Amino acid sequence: MKLQLISFPLCPFVQRSVITLKHKGAPFELTFIQDLENPPAWFAKASPLGKVPVLLVHGKAPEPVAVFESAVINEYIDETIGTPLHSSDPLQKALERAWIEYGSELLGMQYGIYTAESRANLDSAKNELFAALARVEKVVSSGPYFRGSEFSLVDSTFAPLFMRLFLFKELANDEHWEGMPKLRAWGEALLKLPEVKDSVIPEFEARMRSFVQGLGGVLGKSVS
Ligand SMILES: N[C@@H](CCC(=O)N[C@@H](CS)C(=O)NCC(=O)O)C(=O)O
């Protein structure tokens, strides 16, 4: 069985699956779609919503099976490769799935920060995201990972968010962090992991900065 992950260079959702695959030490091939607005026909066929990630599972059948949605891809990887990261306790598993869903909402809020067109809108977008993060501060363990000493799928889900938050000085140095010491320590621990460091393209930081500048919002104007 060969695994082929369909990616877009800066996508945080794809990054979650790359982290999970790398954490598991699973071999996989990464295929980039460079223009998501004009994707190749095979991609439109494989991805019902036209979104990445898609995991193509090449098995015995002539055509690969296309699994879509990052959270579902991660659970498939978790169930089929190595030691399970999801808890075997149904209640703990349900809670972790819920925080994974929550993490996806936070990525949407982060995008609102990139696109805010005035200082007032940027401040309000930042306040919204940090208020949402404050709820995570209440449930995250005292470290190093979300659940405690064991890495879980919540960790692969949140690492791309932290990577982007710490990239922009305005967000990394925001005063809200002072009230969220566990969250900050969690993010810093995640970003030290090799599977997280190696989950992006080598020119990630420069491309991310120029992507945000290209969006034309206030944050992009403050990025050098
Ligand atoms: N819920 C999806 C979200 C994936 C997503 O939004 N991917 C973006 C790139 S980061 C995408 O493919 N956008 C293309 C589009 O919306 O047409 C997941 O978790 O996999």
Side-chain angles (χ1 to χ4, degrees):
M1 188 180 73
K2 191 185 100 180
L3 299 178
Q4 183 185 5
L5 187 66
I6 313 303
S7 175
F8 177 73
L10 298 177
C11 178
F13 296 95
V14 175
Q15 197 186 345
R16 296 168 161 186
S17 298
V18 173
I19 293 168
T20 308
L21 282 160
K22 285 189 181 264
H23 181 85
K24 293 265 182 170
F28 66 101
E29 189 184 305
L30 206 52
T31 302
F32 290 99
I33 305 284
Q34 295 297 347
D35 183 358
L36 270 175
E37 284 173 21
N38 299 293
W42 65 264
F43 176 71
K45 197 174 150 209
S47 178
L49 293 169
K51 294 185 180 194
V52 289
V54 169
L55 183 70
L56 295 181
V57 182
H58 299 262
K60 290 198 179 112
E63 292 287 318
V65 177
V67 183
F68 56 100
E69 286 296 327
S70 59
V72 177
I73 292 171
N74 278 1
E75 290 203 354
Y76 171 73
I77 296 165
D78 194 36
E79 283 173 13
T80 54
I81 303 164
T83 311
L85 298 173
H86 247 330
S87 172
S88 56
D89 174 62
L91 188 55
Q92 179 65 23
K93 183 151 82 172
L95 283 176
E96 291 184 3
R97 281 180 167 149
W99 287 111
I100 286 168
E101 281 287 325
Y102 190 80
S104 297
E105 292 294 316
L106 298 191
L107 283 176
M109 292 180 197
Q110 189 171 51
Y111 196 76
I113 290 179
Y114 300 158
T115 54
E117 285 174 352
S118 66
R119 175 43 64 180
N121 286 352
L122 175 58
D123 287 343
S124 119
K126 277 181 4 180
N127 286 341
E128 185 191 27
L129 177 63
F130 280 109
L133 283 169
R135 296 194 76 124
V136 188
E137 171 75 12
K138 292 202 177 102
V139 293
V140 68
S141 78
S142 35
Y145 304 123
F146 180 78
R147 193 195 292 157
S149 57
E150 292 166 351
F151 187 91
S152 74
L153 293 180
V154 187
D155 296 286
S156 31
T157 299
F158 274 75
L161 176 81
F162 285 121
M163 191 178 273
R164 285 155 185 77
L165 280 174
F166 294 162
L167 180 63
F168 297 102
K169 280 201 191 97
E170 163 139 12
L171 306 177
N173 299 335
D174 191 280
E175 60 188 21
H176 286 96
W177 288 111
E178 283 161 30
M180 303 190 295
K182 285 193 294 170
L183 201 77
R184 178 131 206 158
W186 178 34
E188 287 171 356
L190 289 177
L191 295 203
K192 283 190 193 131
L193 295 174
E195 60 269 51
V196 174
K197 284 188 193 160
D198 297 344
S199 62
V200 287
I201 52 173
E203 63 279 19
F204 173 77
E205 293 198 359
R207 281 213 35 196
M208 197 62 213
R209 285 200 180 91
S210 77
F211 167 70
V212 170
Q213 281 169 334
L215 291 172
V218 177
L219 185 74
K221 294 196 177 79
S222 71
V223 173
S224 48

